[in-house]
Amino acid sequence: MTHISVTVDGTAYEDEVEPRLLLVHYLRDRLGLTGTPVGCDTSSCGACTVELDGTSVKSCNVLAVQADGGAVTTVQGLARDGAWTPLQRAFHERHALQCGYCTPGMLMAARDLLRENPRPDAAEVRRALEGNLCRCTGYQNIVAAVLDAAEAERAAGAPAAAPAREVPA
Amino acid sequence: MTGQTVAGAGQTAAGAGRTAAGEVGRARLRKEDARLLTGQTNWTDNIAVTGLLHLAFLRSPMAHARITRVDVSAALERPGVVAAFTGRDLADGLGSLPCAWPVTEDMVLPAHPPLALEEVRHAGDPVAVVVARDRYAAADALEAVEVDYEPLPPVLDLEEALAEDAPLVHSDKGTNRAYDWPLRAGEDFAAVRERADVVLSRRYRQQRLIPNAMEPRAVVVTPLAATGEYTVYSATQIPHILRIMLSVVTGVPEHKLRVVAPDVGGGFGSKLQVYGEEAVALAVARRLGRPVKWTESRSEGYLATHHGRGMIQDVEIAATREGRLLGLRVRLLADMGAYLMLVTPGIPILGAFMYPAIYKMDSYAFDCTGVFTTRTPTDAYRGAGRPEATYAIERIMDELAAATGLDPVEVRRRNWIRHEEFPYTSIAGLTYDSGDYEAATAKALALFGYDGLRAEQRERRERGDTVRLGIGVSTYTEMCGLAPSRVLRDLRYSAGGWEAASIRVLPTGKVEVVTGTSPHGQGHVTCWSQIAADVLGVPFEDVEVVHGDTLVAPQGMDTYGSRSLVVGGSAVHRAAEKVVARARRVAAHLLEASEDDLEFSGGVFAVKGSPEARRTIQEVAFATFTSHDVPEGMEPTLNAGHVLDPENFSYPHGTHLCAVEVDTETGRTRIRSYVCVDDVGRVINPMIVEGQVHGGLAQGIAQALYEEAVYDTEGNLLSGTMADYLVPSAADLPEFVTARTETPAPSNPLGAKGVGEAGTIASTPAVVNAVVDALRPLGVHDVPMPCTPERVWEAVRAARETRTDGEEAPA
Ligand code: FES
Ligand code: FES
């Protein structure tokens, strides 16, 4: 057992974990933060993508001990005070999700892209999301949503992570 | 709730008099999204129960072997392990897994134990189950289970499997032939062949596909020992059917079983199943009196979740030199895999009705043989039988175009059923209710810029461009809304084709719609709200839809085969009409008018000629609830239910066009443009329809270009992980141009036809036709799927080698 301290979605945790425990299982099984799902066992699908210290990582490919001292953001930490991020809003408006299983990972990977490149074109969005598989949408609406969110963020002068607008009723 | 609050609420609703008009046809944003976008999800794997134990399955590493010994005793010593069972240990009270579709009277139906007993018959066949306090401990302990296998010969090739002396998948059955299923219609094929100018025969292969719903399968069972009740949570498309079947398999009485499909992360047919792991989980929960959970790993799922397709199609057509079809002959070998699962044998039979597609002909002959192999069982995958049929006919129509020197669109035009000929009974005996192939095709050609692309194609050929432009067309129809129950009887399917809906109007005027369909991404909550809101005249926001739990939605046939909207949505529509009829009685009573004198529109009953005499449906709901002043004998609810058995299948259709650039030097194919015009009848929510089409296209294109379950000569699955099996990413797929024509289906009150499978059915042949079209001048007539760079390059090389003159054939 190894001691870790980690901040997840703004809450600090101290824990003893087995060295082999994956970050995604730590989040899901230990902290009960089940918003981040698992889709594969080969780091191929991206469903489990979260942010670790401001960069997106596949949490099935990171050990919980590697997050020691770090800050993790999951999909459950995006909306604040009842307000969605521009990305969440754009996914909703563009019908960029069907079953929604890939969606947490898509949102986290797209945040990473927009932080690095606030003005991506469609081809850049497609390349940036290459590690995140969706079986339902055919990606077209996901790409459109990311482009919309980029524009909304630029218009608002807000960084990718900032919440904006109200959650719809 | 106090009386006053209720009264107040009733008055508020009445006072506001809010109405909804024209919900159907609006691109309503989805009610489903809020939870999914914020991670407040209820996937089966999220379900946490105190004292939960975790299951892990030990699976056969071999395709075929006799089990001589299984010993779980060492596993029991491992830390955290609570129990471990072999097939024998659980055999008492755990029957064979069901097959609900005995397509012929004499179909061979082998036993399918949820845990293997004497033999394993495919890599991944489960042999033992370990139960531990956490998932890591369960997985670790699998190593300690000892199994002795005596290898048996694998059975992999469909033709060799039918040879006299072939090794047998099920030795007690004496054959690998599951069934033979013929269909003959019209003139004798040999006779039309005789008088044909053109006879073409081709062999097409439908590679095995792995459905790859993003959510792996999972099941949680919680027992209540005192009453013998169990709740089964499963990532399933079919909670109602699963409940019946689990009862049959385990002997737990049906009324003691509750099956819940919580949030389900995609299915595509792979969750239309009664899986061994579900039955074992129930058996273990019963044995131990403890809640248990199993979640599949992706690699495990590749071995244990059913596969799709897997067929060899020998297709022959006879035609005139003007390109008119005279006859079609199809011989099909369909890979069942090792066992017959819920609807395995029926999948190719659904296809049998679709090979004639949108074409008129004088003769049709079809024969299918179901073949056992030592591979993962096959079953439904998006489109289920219909994509395979459409692929074969649309590929060979292009061959006919090449043989007659006609444009591929022209060949189709000369053969298709014309708009004025509907309803039209196809040669396979289906009555196509409506369609307009001319309109869909004309629209698609215009959007695509067909003539311009053909000109560019000629120009590039002439200048010897090594990157060839190819244009592929695919026209299609499919049968959705499976199906009138009497038709299912004739097809020997062991269930009905009806769907149930009920509507509860609450005292405050809010509405609950209970549906027997069980969605996994299709947006039923939103669409069903739109349907109910329109009929009842209540706001969209005032409708809630509940589903996927046999306790709250006790009756249903679940979701598959694009049936949900056509049958389930229509049931909602009919139930809502019954609610209005009940409300009309009450409103007439309250207004002291005759029912016939009331007009109902926008949620308001008004007396004809005196519009100030009115009652909103919300007022009526409250009045009905208080029951202070209702017609004699009226029960105090506005609730109503309807079970709808469809009159006919529905027949979506459309035209898809694909332009590809194929690099003849590297073999690489790039989709340059993709245009489709689909006619899915009346559209409830255009945004959702478009999303369904996009997803379908992605899966159909993936079959054409990327995906294949690959086995080695021993029967090991080589494409056994997501890293080895190419599910396309955003970077692999193009932008799609989608459009619609709308020819309402006359056979249901919505006029809807179904959309979930259209994109998959039509896109695979459109893409492969385009690839072959690009290469045809080089002498290439086919590229087997998936058309990987290697296969394309190989086809080009082979064609070059067989040509002696080095000249290209005319384009
Ligand atoms: S679950 Fe982490 S990448 Fe698939
Ligand atoms: S929405 Fe279902 S996997 Fe992406």
Side-chain angles (χ1 to χ4, degrees):
Chain A
M1 288 289 179
T2 309
H3 183 87
I4 60 168
S5 31
V6 54
T7 302
V8 182
D9 296 335
T11 305
Y13 298 88
E14 301 282 332
D15 259 307
E16 300 291 326
V17 298
E18 267 192 80
R20 64 170 175 167
L21 184 70
L22 297 172
L23 177 59
V24 69
H25 288 146
Y26 175 69
L27 295 172
R28 291 178 53 79
D29 297 344
R30 193 69 75 80
L31 304 187
L33 293 172
T34 50
T36 303
V38 178
C40 72
D41 40 31
T42 42
S43 320
S44 308
C45 76
C48 66
T49 307
V50 299
E51 269 169 28
L52 176 57
D53 296 329
T55 314
S56 72
V57 296
K58 291 179 172 175
S59 62
C60 72
N61 200 25
V62 174
L63 297 169
V65 292
Q66 292 175 283
D68 182 29
V72 174
T73 305
T74 78
V75 68
Q76 287 165 277
L78 295 186
R80 292 271 175 223
D81 307 322
W84 285 0
T85 61
L87 265 169
Q88 286 168 306
R89 167 63 79 165
F91 267 60
H92 180 53
E93 289 174 349
R94 282 288 189 170
H95 186 35
L97 64 157
Q98 291 184 26
C99 79
Y101 202 78
C102 68
T103 307
M106 285 288 177
L107 291 169
M108 304 316 283
R111 275 163 66 92
D112 212 3
L113 164 69
L114 295 186
R115 223 178 350 248
E116 278 172 20
N117 178 4
R119 289 175 188 278
D121 62 25
E124 287 169 327
V125 173
R126 285 183 181 273
R127 268 199 302 280
L129 296 180
E130 209 168 1
N132 289 70
L133 299 178
C134 173
R135 195 58 159 170
C136 301
T137 63
Y139 303 105
Q140 184 151 328
N141 290 350
I142 293 176
V143 174
V146 175
L147 293 173
D148 279 5
E151 202 181 304
E153 283 170 6
R154 288 200 305 272
R165 290 186 283 189
E166 289 304 297
V167 175
Chain B
M1 209 182 252
T2 68
Q4 273 172 340
T5 314
V6 173
Q11 278 156 12
T12 306
R18 292 184 298 157
T19 61
E23 277 297 336
V24 165
R26 279 182 72 179
R28 271 287 189 187
L29 298 185
R30 294 202 321 171
K31 292 180 171 179
E32 288 88 341
D33 290 356
R35 289 177 323 105
L36 299 171
L37 282 165
T38 53
Q40 296 168 65
T41 41
N42 201 20
W43 313 115
T44 300
D45 189 53
N46 292 3
I47 289 166
V49 186
T50 306
L52 191 66
L53 299 174
H54 297 258
L55 305 186
F57 287 86
L58 184 75
R59 298 181 182 279
S60 167
M62 271 175 257
H64 197 193
R66 187 165 296 118
I67 303 167
T68 51
R69 187 179 74 103
V70 192
D71 186 351
V72 296
S73 51
L76 289 168
E77 306 298 316
R78 293 295 183 102
V81 172
V82 173
F85 303 101
T86 68
R88 291 247 167 274
D89 296 335
L90 293 178
D92 187 21
L94 194 56
S96 190
L97 293 172
C99 172
W101 204 336
V103 291
T104 62
E105 213 162 316
D106 56 355
M107 185 184 83
V108 172
L109 180 54
H112 184 186
L115 282 179
L117 296 169
E118 285 101 21
E119 272 182 34
V120 287
R121 297 189 173 87
H122 66 88
D125 212 356
V127 180
V129 61
V130 170
V131 190
R133 279 198 290 273
D134 73 64
R135 64 172 96 215
Y136 285 59
D140 283 352
L142 290 181
E143 285 167 22
V145 178
E146 290 166 26
V147 189
D148 293 338
Y149 295 105
E150 195 181 293
L152 292 168
V155 181
L156 301 168
D157 184 276
L158 294 180
E159 288 173 307
E160 287 169 18
L162 296 176
E164 275 300 317
D165 54 349
L168 294 173
V169 180
H170 297 276
S171 49
D172 59 324
K173 298 297 179 193
T175 177
N176 291 324
R177 187 181 286 262
Y179 63 84
D180 290 301
W181 195 97
L183 177 66
R184 293 283 178 279
E187 272 181 69
D188 181 46
F189 184 78
V192 299
R193 198 180 191 284
E194 204 57 34
R195 64 183 160 90
D197 306 314
V198 184
V199 175
L200 299 170
S201 47
R202 294 285 186 272
R203 167 166 282 204
Y204 298 119
R205 283 177 196 276
Q206 294 287 327
Q207 77 271 36
R208 267 179 178 255
L209 299 178
I210 302 182
N212 273 298
M214 288 307 298
E215 181 205 20
R217 286 194 290 122
V219 57
V220 172
V221 181
T222 63
L224 189 57
T227 57
E229 287 172 75
Y230 299 86
T231 302
V232 178
Y233 302 88
S234 182
T236 183
Q237 298 174 219
I238 53 163
H240 298 92
I241 296 171
L242 183 61
R243 182 196 197 200
I244 300 166
M245 292 302 181
L246 281 180
S247 172
V248 171
V249 173
T250 63
V252 174
E254 194 182 343
H255 66 304
K256 300 287 187 182
L257 268 180
R258 172 187 180 188
V259 176
V260 184
D263 289 332
V264 176
F268 317 113
S270 69
K271 293 171 182 169
L272 192 191
Q273 198 52 270
V274 179
Y275 280 106
E277 294 88 354
E278 291 167 313
V280 168
L282 179 54
V284 170
R286 173 170 61 187
R287 188 68 72 89
L288 301 179
R290 300 269 308 266
V292 302
K293 168 153 90 180
W294 171 73
T295 301
E296 110 189 323
S297 71
R298 180 64 56 178
S299 312
E300 188 182 20
Y302 273 26
L303 295 168
T305 296
H306 76 234
H307 293 177
R309 316 281 193 259
M311 294 179 194
I312 297 176
Q313 305 168 305
D314 286 313
V315 190
E316 192 173 1
I317 51 171
T320 67
R321 69 175 59 80
E322 291 78 35
R324 196 178 84 70
L325 271 182
L326 299 173
L328 168 67
R329 186 167 202 339
V330 179
R331 287 196 186 85
L332 199 61
L333 294 181
D335 185 353
M336 305 282 102
Y339 304 101
L340 301 181
M341 305 218 30
L342 195 62
V343 292
T344 304
I347 302 302
I349 307 312
L350 282 177
F353 295 95
M354 283 282 99
Y355 283 88
I358 65 170
Y359 307 120
K360 296 185 275 191
M361 60 191 75
D362 306 328
S363 165
Y364 176 43
F366 173 91
D367 290 277
C368 174
T369 300
V371 184
F372 291 111
T373 61
T374 52
R375 300 185 212 231
T376 301
T378 58
D379 204 303
Y381 171 58
R382 205 163 188 168
R386 291 151 291 166
E388 298 92 319
T390 305
Y391 179 79
I393 186 71
E394 289 303 292
R395 281 287 300 112
I396 205 161
M397 287 302 279
D398 265 28
E399 298 304 303
L400 179 60
T404 53
L406 291 167
D407 183 278
V409 177
E410 181 56 26
V411 159
R412 288 166 172 83
R413 195 177 278 135
R414 289 186 185 187
N415 288 290
W416 70 37
I417 301 152
R418 292 188 311 275
H419 182 52
E420 62 273 16
E421 293 175 287
F422 288 93
Y424 183 90
T425 301
S426 83
I427 192 156
L430 300 174
T431 302
Y432 297 171
D433 54 2
S434 73
D436 191 340
Y437 308 140
E438 297 90 324
T441 304
K443 194 166 183 177
L445 291 172
L447 279 171
F448 189 65
Y450 187 76
D451 295 337
L453 281 164
R454 283 284 181 214
E456 182 189 332
Q457 180 181 49
R458 272 194 302 278
E459 184 272 320
R460 284 168 69 160
R461 278 179 186 167
E462 277 157 19
R463 91 176 123 86
D465 194 341
T466 56
V467 180
R468 295 289 174 131
L469 183 65
I471 296 167
V473 59
S474 149
T475 48
Y476 76 99
T477 188
E478 58 162 326
M479 52 206 264
C480 292
L482 311 176
S485 296
R486 260 184 246 100
V487 171
L488 292 178
R489 172 201 63 195
D490 294 344
L491 292 173
R492 302 180 51 84
Y493 178 60
S494 325
W498 49 263
E499 192 48 83
S502 57
I503 294 182
R504 299 192 288 253
V505 184
L506 306 178
T508 55
K510 308 292 183 197
V511 175
E512 286 175 334
V513 173
V514 182
T515 175
T517 66
S518 192
H520 30 285
Q522 299 93 335
H524 291 185
V525 170
T526 301
C527 294
W528 284 207
S529 295
Q530 290 178 274
I531 293 167
D534 255 10
V535 179
L536 299 174
V538 301
F540 170 76
E541 297 77 13
D542 284 0
V543 185
E544 198 48 75
V545 178
V546 297
H547 58 75
D549 180 340
T550 59
L551 194 65
V552 297
Q555 219 185 353
M557 280 290 181
D558 309 317
T559 288
Y560 45 86
S562 294
R563 71 184 296 277
S564 292
L565 178 65
V566 178
V567 192
S570 293
V572 170
H573 183 93
R574 289 278 185 245
E577 287 177 337
K578 288 186 181 173
V579 168
V580 173
R582 284 179 68 76
R584 179 183 294 273
R585 254 183 89 196
V586 179
H589 177 84
L590 295 173
L591 292 163
E592 295 176 357
S594 96
E595 286 187 45
D596 295 341
D597 283 344
L598 291 188
E599 280 171 336
F600 180 66
S601 132
V604 180
F605 292 95
V607 178
K608 284 178 200 159
S610 45
E612 64 293 343
R614 64 205 296 274
R615 286 288 187 281
T616 67
I617 193 163
Q618 293 90 349
E619 287 173 309
V620 172
F622 188 69
T624 312
F625 161 72
T626 64
S627 209
H628 293 169
D629 185 21
V630 294
E632 199 66 38
M634 177 101 190
E635 288 179 28
T637 72
L638 286 186
N639 304 350
H642 191 84
V643 177
L644 185 134
D645 203 334
E647 295 167 24
N648 189 0
F649 293 94
S650 62
Y651 299 94
H653 71 82
T655 298
H656 287 220
L657 290 159
C658 177
V660 296
E661 292 189 334
V662 183
D663 189 326
T664 53
E665 288 176 347
T666 63
R668 183 164 184 270
T669 297
R670 187 182 74 88
I671 294 182
R672 173 157 137 191
S673 65
Y674 197 100
V675 169
C676 61
V677 175
D678 296 291
D679 194 323
V680 297
R682 192 141 157 262
V683 165
I684 309 304
N685 184 320
M687 179 192 80
I688 288 175
V689 163
E690 192 167 324
Q692 291 277 303
V693 171
H694 289 171
L697 292 177
Q699 291 187 17
I701 290 169
Q703 173 168 16
L705 296 181
Y706 303 117
E707 296 186 18
E708 179 170 25
V710 182
Y711 285 82
D712 70 10
T713 51
E714 297 299 305
N716 299 305
L717 183 62
L718 294 179
S719 54
T721 71
M722 219 173 219
D724 307 310
Y725 182 97
L726 207 168
V727 174
S729 75
D732 300 309
L733 292 171
E735 282 284 300
F736 310 116
V737 176
T738 62
R740 282 190 305 277
T741 53
E742 259 189 57
T743 318
S747 55
N748 68 69
L750 297 172
K753 293 183 179 175
V755 65
E757 300 157 308
T760 304
I761 288 171
S763 59
T764 311
V767 174
V768 178
N769 279 344
V771 171
V772 175
D773 182 61
L775 303 176
R776 200 181 287 283
L778 305 174
V780 172
H781 299 290
D782 196 22
V783 179
M785 294 191 290
C787 304
T788 57
E790 191 188 348
R791 290 220 171 107
V792 168
W793 187 87
E794 176 53 32
V796 170
R797 192 197 58 78
R800 283 205 171 116
E801 234 158 56
T802 53
R803 301 181 77 81
T804 47
D805 53 8
E807 290 289 306
E808 290 200 2

